[in-house]
Amino acid sequence: MVQRRNALGRGLDALLSMDEVQTEGSSSINEIELSKISVNPNQPRREFDETALSELADSISEIGIIQPITLRKINEDEYQIIAGERRYRASLKAGLKSIPAYIRTADDENVMEMALIENIQREDLNSVEIALAYQHLIEQYDLTQERLSERVGKKRTTIANYLRLLKLPAPIQMALQNKQIDMGHARALITLTDPKLQIKVFEEIIQHAYSVRKVEEIVKSLSEGETITSGNKKIVPKRKKLPEEFNLLKKHLSGFFNTKVQLTCSEKGKGKISIPFNNEEELERIMGKLDSLKK
């Protein structure tokens, strides 16, 4: 039987519970001390642009690691980089002590494909573990999402939704794995294209215990270019720069209503026109202006 380990997730260990499969393979996401990580001596890349590394280090200092690196577990206190040496080097520059990483043991590559596929159906895995298992199958056995969907009996869109979770910032993936948020929260956050915005909304979810529906409403508003107030904090989306004709329209509307009209536009081209008022008298004046347009 597979020996269980203390880790954030059971990962592929949980998938390999059949007696006839003898393996110590595992895959999970965890925080690993940088002092325990070594670079792969067979890494073909030898030179790293110092300016680009410094820029990445500054980004990491501000919002942390967005995409975990991938490590091979050599022993209890030693890991080797499979992918992500640039992120590793930038994290050292940023002064980090640990880094989020996907962990694989050296025996992962010997795992039987059918054992993985059959056990995905039977184990109670969290969504990140399932996503990692799907990714492992696709990479190791050169499967398309369509082919994998046939093998595991899941819709291709279902598999695609799981795989998209692995593109979320590392803190969100770890929270999902630790059941601080659920799949619904994560799927809502995926629709935001800005990782910084994803992190900000995620922090509000944790602080205020927002429901999935509440997060969907927040994400929808942010996607349409609106500024959101959460608690005492304002979340401002990345807005598309308004074309000159939009600015002219904004000035024209502000002059017509004699108030500062707000016009926002998201990166997707969606937007909103807002006409603010300070009291009932101003509202009546604005309504009078609107009524005059009907004549």
Side-chain angles (χ1 to χ4, degrees):
M1 294 292 289
V2 178
Q3 180 182 0
R4 301 295 182 186
R5 295 177 176 81
N6 290 323
L8 283 179
R10 292 168 295 156
L12 294 182
D13 271 343
L15 300 177
L16 305 171
S17 60
M18 294 194 300
D19 292 339
E20 64 268 25
V21 180
Q22 301 297 323
T23 178
E24 293 296 322
S26 68
S27 188
S28 61
I29 181 174
N30 209 338
E31 284 278 343
I32 302 299
E33 295 176 24
L34 288 172
S35 60
K36 295 181 178 180
I37 300 173
S38 62
V39 300
N40 186 342
N42 297 319
Q43 158 73 272
R45 188 177 186 180
R46 289 285 178 262
E47 296 183 2
F48 294 85
D49 185 285
E50 287 300 320
T51 301
L53 273 181
S54 296
E55 290 175 353
L56 181 56
D58 290 341
S59 174
I60 289 172
S61 296
E62 183 182 355
I63 62 173
I65 291 287
I66 296 299
Q67 182 65 29
I69 66 173
T70 303
L71 303 175
R72 175 179 288 110
K73 186 172 183 179
I74 307 300
N75 55 52
E76 288 301 318
D77 295 308
E78 187 179 359
Y79 300 84
Q80 189 179 83
I81 297 173
I82 295 176
E85 183 173 341
R86 183 169 173 270
R87 278 162 283 163
Y88 162 75
R89 290 176 180 270
S91 296
L92 289 173
K93 270 183 171 287
L96 267 59
K97 299 299 181 184
S98 62
I99 188 172
Y102 300 127
I103 311 301
R104 291 182 181 176
T105 63
D107 292 330
D108 266 356
E109 310 312 320
N110 299 322
V111 176
M112 291 171 59
E113 178 187 5
M114 286 310 299
L116 282 172
I117 292 174
E118 290 179 18
N119 281 273
I120 282 175
Q121 311 297 334
R122 294 175 8 198
E123 293 288 346
D124 181 20
L125 305 178
N126 66 55
S127 50
V128 173
E129 291 168 335
I130 292 173
L132 286 169
Y134 286 156
Q135 184 184 58
H136 181 86
L137 286 168
I138 287 172
E139 292 177 353
Q140 181 65 18
Y141 301 102
D142 195 25
L143 300 174
T144 63
Q145 289 185 18
E146 191 67 39
R147 178 60 177 153
L148 180 58
S149 73
E150 295 172 0
R151 299 299 294 271
V152 300
K154 300 288 185 181
K155 292 181 179 179
R156 191 199 63 78
T157 52
T158 299
I159 291 172
N161 284 334
Y162 274 108
L163 292 174
R164 289 174 71 200
L165 297 177
L166 301 181
K167 295 183 179 182
L168 285 167
I172 300 177
Q173 289 189 45
M174 296 183 75
L176 184 58
Q177 184 169 259
N178 293 333
K179 298 183 179 179
Q180 291 175 280
I181 62 174
D182 61 32
M183 183 78 163
H185 292 109
R187 288 185 64 177
L189 291 172
I190 285 171
T191 61
L192 293 173
T193 56
D194 183 358
K196 291 183 181 180
L197 207 54
Q198 290 174 334
I199 291 291
K200 287 179 181 178
V201 177
F202 162 68
E203 290 172 348
E204 294 303 298
I205 295 172
I206 298 301
Q207 182 175 349
H208 301 289
Y210 285 148
S211 66
V212 172
R213 177 167 292 187
K214 175 66 174 177
V215 176
E216 289 173 343
E217 291 173 356
I218 290 174
V219 167
K220 184 176 183 294
S221 296
L222 290 172
S223 297
E224 292 176 351
E226 295 182 41
T227 296
I228 295 300
T229 301
S230 176
N232 296 321
K233 186 182 296 183
K234 286 190 175 182
I235 303 176
V236 182
K238 185 178 180 181
R239 292 189 176 121
K240 182 179 179 180
K241 187 177 180 180
L242 292 176
E244 183 57 30
E245 57 267 28
F246 277 55
N247 285 320
L248 291 174
L249 174 61
K250 181 179 175 181
K251 289 179 181 178
H252 178 72
L253 290 173
S254 295
F256 179 78
F257 289 107
N258 195 25
T259 187
K260 192 174 181 180
V261 172
Q262 300 295 329
L263 195 157
T264 60
C265 184
S266 72
E267 289 188 305
K268 295 180 180 179
K270 293 183 178 180
K272 179 177 287 191
I273 296 173
S274 302
I275 308 173
F277 55 88
N278 295 316
N279 49 52
E280 288 186 12
E281 289 182 359
E282 283 196 11
L283 175 59
E284 288 178 2
R285 179 179 59 77
I286 291 170
M287 293 304 296
K289 286 280 189 180
L290 288 171
D291 287 338
S292 69
L293 297 175
K294 299 177 182 178
K295 298 177 182 178

